[in-house]
Amino acid sequence: MLVVAATERELALVEGLETFCCGIGPVEAALQTARILEERRPAAVIQVGIAGSRTLEPPALVLGSEAVYCDVIDPSSTLPRIERVRPDAALLERARVALPEAHVLPIATCGKVGGGSGVDVEAMEGFGVLRACGLAGVPAVELRAISNSPDEADRAHWRFDEAFAALAAALQRLDVL
């Protein structure tokens, strides 16, 4: 299993698992994940990181039922596009069993804080990672820990340390996947 996150800080507390830092944002995440999948050929990927939510309190855990790429959603457009990807169903189910307290919800992927287009949980890399994994045939799932509300502009109020600790503890329980 390969644990993928946007920053080294999100991976700093991960012990005993193979990790990869994919970079920040949906495009960088997709490109770097595609590259590392080709190099390492992992059996499965868990994309982790912090996220914002307007309704869940930090450090709630969220498993993505789907990744919604909000930057490309345009209800008035008739051009075809891929806006949503789902995690591997078997991997998601095993993660649900290992983390029964985790909420299972759609997670928005957007290039800026607050760009979640009505999806309650938002982050910046999930769609890119899951899309790259899907194209490579590698099972993947997204796991996030809530650190803030997207409406809170002052990052001094974001609860980074609690969210990172929650992710690390969750990953220790997922290392059996």
Side-chain angles (χ1 to χ4, degrees):
M1 174 174 62
L2 177 64
V3 179
V4 175
T7 67
E8 292 295 343
R9 188 170 178 194
E10 289 164 310
L11 296 170
L13 297 176
V14 176
E15 296 178 6
L17 298 170
E18 186 178 2
T19 63
F20 176 70
C21 181
C22 68
I24 297 172
V27 174
E28 191 66 16
L31 292 170
Q32 294 300 332
T33 299
R35 181 181 61 79
I36 205 66
L37 293 174
E38 179 67 24
E39 287 176 14
R40 296 190 191 173
R41 303 202 182 272
V45 167
I46 297 183
Q47 199 276 317
V48 302
I50 60 170
S53 173
R54 290 178 178 85
T55 61
L56 300 175
E57 288 296 317
L61 294 173
V62 179
L63 288 163
S65 60
E66 65 180 341
V68 182
Y69 190 17
C70 294
D71 295 345
V72 299
I73 293 176
D74 178 1
S76 64
S77 178
T78 58
L79 296 173
R81 71 192 92 228
I82 297 172
E83 308 174 340
R84 298 168 185 270
V85 292
R86 295 196 180 277
D88 178 80
L91 190 58
L92 176 60
E93 185 54 35
R94 291 196 311 262
R96 289 177 78 169
V97 169
L99 301 170
E101 76 282 12
H103 302 267
V104 180
L105 300 167
I107 301 174
T109 297
C110 42
K112 68 180 187 109
V113 174
S117 294
V119 179
D120 182 54
V121 178
E122 67 176 54
M124 299 176 87
E125 298 79 27
F127 180 90
V129 173
L130 268 63
R131 181 79 172 121
C133 288
L135 291 172
V138 175
V141 68
E142 184 175 7
L143 169 66
R144 297 288 179 163
I146 303 302
S147 63
N148 59 282
S149 167
D151 299 327
E152 176 57 67
D154 184 352
R155 294 189 182 190
H157 294 284
W158 292 16
R159 293 163 55 184
F160 292 112
D161 292 338
E162 289 175 62
F164 295 143
L167 279 177
L171 283 168
Q172 290 305 311
R173 292 165 46 206
L174 289 178
D175 73 350
V176 296
L177 299 184

